[in-house]
Amino acid sequence: MSHPHPELSAPPALKEGALRITPLGGLGEIGRNMTVFEHAGRLLIVDCGVLFPEAEQPGIDLILPDFSSIRDRLDKIDGIILTHGHEDHIGAVPFLLRENPDIPLIGSKLTLALIEAKLAEHRIRPYVLEVKEGERERIGPFDCEFIAVNHSIPDALAVAIRTPAGMVVCTGDFKMDQLPLDGRLTDLPAFAKLAEEGMDLLLVDSTNAEVPGFIPHERDISAALRNVFSSADKRIIVASFASHVHRIQQVLDAAHEHKRKVAFVGRSMVRNMGIARDLGYLKVPGNLIVDVKTLDDLPDKEVVLVCTGSQGEPMAALSRMANRDHQIRIVEGDTVIMASSLIPGNETAIYRVINGLTRWGANVVHKGNAKVHVSGHASAGELLYFFNICKPRNLMPVHGEWRHLRACADLGIKTGVPKNRTVIAEDGVVVDLENGVAKIVGKVQAGYVYVDGSSVGDVTEASLKDRRILGEEGFISVFVVVDSNSGKMVGRPTIQARGSGIDDNSFGPVVAKLDEALARSASDGVLEVRQVQQLVRRTIGKWVADNYRRRPMILPVVVEV
């Protein structure tokens, strides 16, 4: 079993006839999915998504893949294949097309409609190529065949990429629901045909590789929703991903059955559901949807609100409702359904929202206490079944944290994939397929690129460390005037603390220590302002640590007179 090494160097030049695979996101994390394929001097990208920030990344809106390894070759990209319309697979496309708006986008009807609506907000009008399952397209030197897969959003596709180096199959996100709402099954016969031809490398969704058995059917949620609707006396508020068309279809069906009206809340929810309805993916009974502004005219028992915020996102509608920072006020007796998964890393934020909603009297229904969610990713039983159909010669788990990648690799080995043909990589690790063998050959830069407001890439890890310190420990500002000749302190310094839990009047004892330190420094000939600032920072910092066991940020300002 291959695995990356922290000392991997830059990869060598790609050998003639070989295929290079470079994941720039989605390995070792849930989100930010992006893989670059290189052959005959040309590039093909599969997916280009975002990762959502965690608590230790304060102020960050989105996290992008690092485009630096391909930035000087953007004109050599023949296309971006988008497997489906979730943000973790399409959300970074606008940022890449800002750098080269001429890159074609390839995907299914719904996927392209969702990304085109997003790009319109960025004033980008891309060239798009709509494809369907069963079709083959020549994209530069890449012969691409598209296969239907079932996921938690309609129109998801896997792609088989053929080159002289061999065939690589990317599943995208998928599961094998045998009773899908739209009747669109994962096309196992098509995968079996690819296996007969010879599947040289399989890049497979590993998100649920640790989950035993088979994922329940999406339609099983209907009974749980009907039970909640039957027992709710007041408003029902459903939080879901803005692209989860199947889940929202079941909410609409339940609302119609119980004679309730539905209003969509939030820009992305309104936009995406409008697109899904216009394209026929969302079936809406007549007069069911109303504008949120008309809700005051309806009795509470006739209202259903569908909004975003199921992951505890601070600016999403549900979080703002929990914080009493939204026009919709949660009241005693409201029912809130959180109809989505709990993404790793979001637990604290989600439970904070649940507690906030409960505080205002809401009855919160979630995956932990009712069957209101099923996963969109194949579990271990499905993956075993899938591997036995595909019979890949080489296997590379993708779309998962480290534990998911390794669990997926172990499943593949059990079904007969040779251990030395199983590649566990991480973001930036370069894998070459040559002579039927996939192997790690190097590593490129693939760090996090942070979006903070209109700033892209300007926030560094050092900046985030400073933000964390400020948020957890506060800061202390120190204004000191020193004599430019003697280096000694002139008058009493001004010391102010914010967020550190230390009263401004408590700094008296440290003034003498600071005076002594500056005098000693001056006698040693240390008079340069920057060095004096460092001395002030160390002196104040040590005193605070010794007396308060805290490490706030120290901001010294030294003025010479």
Side-chain angles (χ1 to χ4, degrees):
M1 185 182 297
S2 302
H3 59 85
H5 189 279
E7 301 303 323
L8 282 172
S9 57
L14 180 61
K15 293 182 180 179
E16 186 175 351
L19 175 67
R20 176 159 290 175
I21 303 102
T22 307
L24 297 182
L27 276 70
E29 61 200 359
I30 303 291
R32 211 170 63 115
N33 299 288
M34 179 177 180
T35 307
V36 179
F37 295 84
E38 179 180 355
H39 177 70
R42 305 298 297 180
L43 304 179
L44 177 70
I45 294 173
V46 174
D47 290 326
C48 188
V50 297
L51 180 67
F52 293 101
E54 298 181 1
E56 62 268 21
Q57 294 154 336
I60 299 303
D61 299 317
L62 297 170
I63 304 172
L64 308 178
D66 188 342
F67 304 142
S68 60
S69 64
I70 59 171
R71 186 160 278 124
D72 61 345
R73 297 180 291 166
L74 296 179
D75 59 330
K76 300 185 184 303
I77 300 174
D78 288 314
I80 303 173
I81 295 174
L82 301 172
T83 60
H84 63 281
H86 281 154
E87 284 294 302
D88 59 335
H89 289 257
I90 69 171
V93 169
F95 298 92
L96 183 56
L97 292 195
R98 279 185 193 177
E99 302 192 29
N100 181 3
D102 298 325
I103 302 173
L105 303 180
I106 302 103
S108 63
K109 179 187 289 187
L110 178 61
T111 303
L112 291 178
L114 292 174
I115 189 59
E116 286 182 282
K118 181 181 290 290
L119 287 168
E121 297 178 0
H122 293 259
R123 298 182 181 179
I124 298 173
R125 299 186 66 180
Y127 172 80
V128 298
L129 173 63
E130 182 183 319
V131 294
K132 298 178 181 178
E133 56 264 29
E135 294 183 349
R136 285 178 73 163
E137 292 286 347
R138 189 81 181 181
I139 304 171
F142 306 94
D143 179 0
C144 299
E145 180 178 352
F146 300 93
I147 307 105
V149 292
N150 177 247
H151 186 41
S152 53
I153 185 173
D155 255 9
L157 294 169
V159 58
I161 303 170
R162 295 176 175 88
T163 69
M167 180 205 298
V168 179
V169 174
C170 304
T171 65
D173 287 352
F174 85 110
K175 61 178 176 177
M176 297 200 295
D177 190 340
Q178 298 304 296
L179 297 170
L181 288 177
D182 58 3
R184 188 173 179 270
L185 296 162
T186 291
D187 193 348
L188 296 179
F191 284 106
K193 287 182 181 179
L194 295 175
E196 290 178 6
E197 182 180 335
M199 198 178 293
D200 294 290
L201 176 61
L202 175 62
L203 274 61
V204 63
D205 175 11
S206 66
T207 303
N208 269 347
E210 287 187 312
V211 179
F214 286 69
I215 295 299
H217 307 303
E218 176 71 29
R219 65 177 64 237
D220 290 350
I221 293 173
S222 294
L225 287 176
R226 285 198 298 270
N227 287 337
V228 174
F229 273 67
S230 297
S231 60
D233 296 325
K234 292 191 176 180
R235 296 180 303 179
I236 297 175
I237 300 165
V238 182
S240 176
F241 292 120
S243 54
H244 204 331
V245 178
H246 293 322
R247 189 68 40 79
I248 293 168
Q249 180 69 67
Q250 295 190 86
V251 171
L252 297 185
D253 292 343
H256 181 61
E257 180 181 332
H258 289 84
K259 296 180 174 53
R260 288 175 178 259
K261 299 294 185 181
V262 177
F264 294 124
V265 181
R267 186 179 62 172
S268 60
M269 183 66 74
V270 171
R271 180 190 66 199
N272 288 356
M273 290 307 106
I275 291 170
R277 179 175 54 187
D278 292 344
L279 296 179
Y281 293 96
L282 190 69
K283 310 297 183 183
V284 183
N287 301 318
L288 179 69
I289 304 298
V290 298
D291 191 285
V292 69
K293 297 176 183 177
T294 67
L295 294 181
D296 290 340
D297 300 329
L298 295 172
D300 285 352
K301 64 181 181 180
E302 295 180 11
V303 170
V304 176
L305 295 155
V306 179
C307 67
T308 56
S310 61
Q311 296 303 307
E313 306 97 311
M315 295 308 294
L318 193 66
S319 296
R320 293 173 57 201
M321 291 178 201
N323 295 329
R324 278 287 201 260
D325 183 31
H326 196 278
Q327 63 184 19
I328 297 167
R329 312 282 283 187
I330 298 294
V331 298
E332 186 79 31
D334 282 344
T335 297
V336 177
I337 304 173
M338 301 184 75
S340 62
S341 62
L342 193 154
I343 293 177
N346 293 349
E347 295 91 344
T348 301
I350 292 171
Y351 289 127
R352 185 182 299 118
V353 170
I354 291 174
N355 284 322
L357 295 167
T358 305
R359 176 187 178 193
W360 304 120
N363 171 33
V364 183
V365 180
H366 54 86
K367 183 182 178 182
N369 59 23
K371 193 172 183 178
V372 291
H373 172 72
V374 297
S375 178
H377 304 270
S379 58
E382 294 167 69
L383 289 173
L384 288 170
Y385 196 89
F386 188 69
F387 291 148
N388 283 325
I389 289 173
C390 293
K391 302 185 186 317
R393 295 166 179 161
N394 298 267
L395 175 65
M396 182 173 166
V398 295
H399 306 175
E401 298 177 350
W402 269 99
R403 57 197 173 94
H404 306 129
L405 302 179
R406 188 165 294 279
C408 185
D410 290 341
L411 293 173
I413 292 169
K414 287 178 181 178
T415 62
V417 181
K419 191 171 183 178
N420 63 354
R421 298 286 188 91
T422 305
V423 180
I424 296 184
E426 63 182 339
D427 295 342
V429 168
V430 179
V431 177
D432 282 359
L433 180 64
E434 184 184 7
N435 298 322
V437 179
K439 61 180 179 180
I440 292 171
V441 297
K443 191 172 185 178
V444 299
Q445 181 176 320
Y448 284 180
V449 175
Y450 296 108
V451 178
D452 183 358
S454 61
S455 165
V456 179
D458 294 335
V459 176
T460 63
E461 290 293 342
S463 303
L464 285 180
K465 182 180 179 182
D466 287 346
R467 290 183 183 186
R468 286 192 289 269
I469 292 173
L470 286 169
E472 296 167 6
E473 302 283 353
F475 73 93
I476 297 172
S477 63
V478 187
F479 184 81
V480 180
V481 179
V482 298
D483 187 293
S484 58
N485 295 317
S486 68
K488 294 183 179 181
M489 193 161 59
V490 177
R492 185 181 178 88
T494 301
I495 305 176
Q496 292 182 320
R498 294 293 182 272
S500 65
I502 305 172
D503 189 89
D504 290 351
N505 297 322
S506 302
F507 290 102
V510 78
V511 173
K513 290 181 177 292
L514 188 58
D515 194 26
E516 179 183 340
L518 289 172
R520 185 167 58 251
S521 172
S523 67
D524 292 338
V526 178
L527 299 173
E528 202 268 326
V529 169
R530 185 179 61 85
Q531 293 175 306
V532 174
Q533 285 178 331
Q534 291 176 342
L535 176 63
V536 171
R537 182 182 292 112
R538 286 197 302 270
T539 304
I540 299 293
K542 183 177 185 307
W543 181 84
V544 171
D546 290 345
N547 288 274
Y548 293 92
R549 295 186 179 180
R550 297 187 65 84
R551 297 186 179 277
M553 182 175 289
I554 311 297
L555 304 175
V557 177
V558 176
V559 176
E560 291 183 321
V561 294

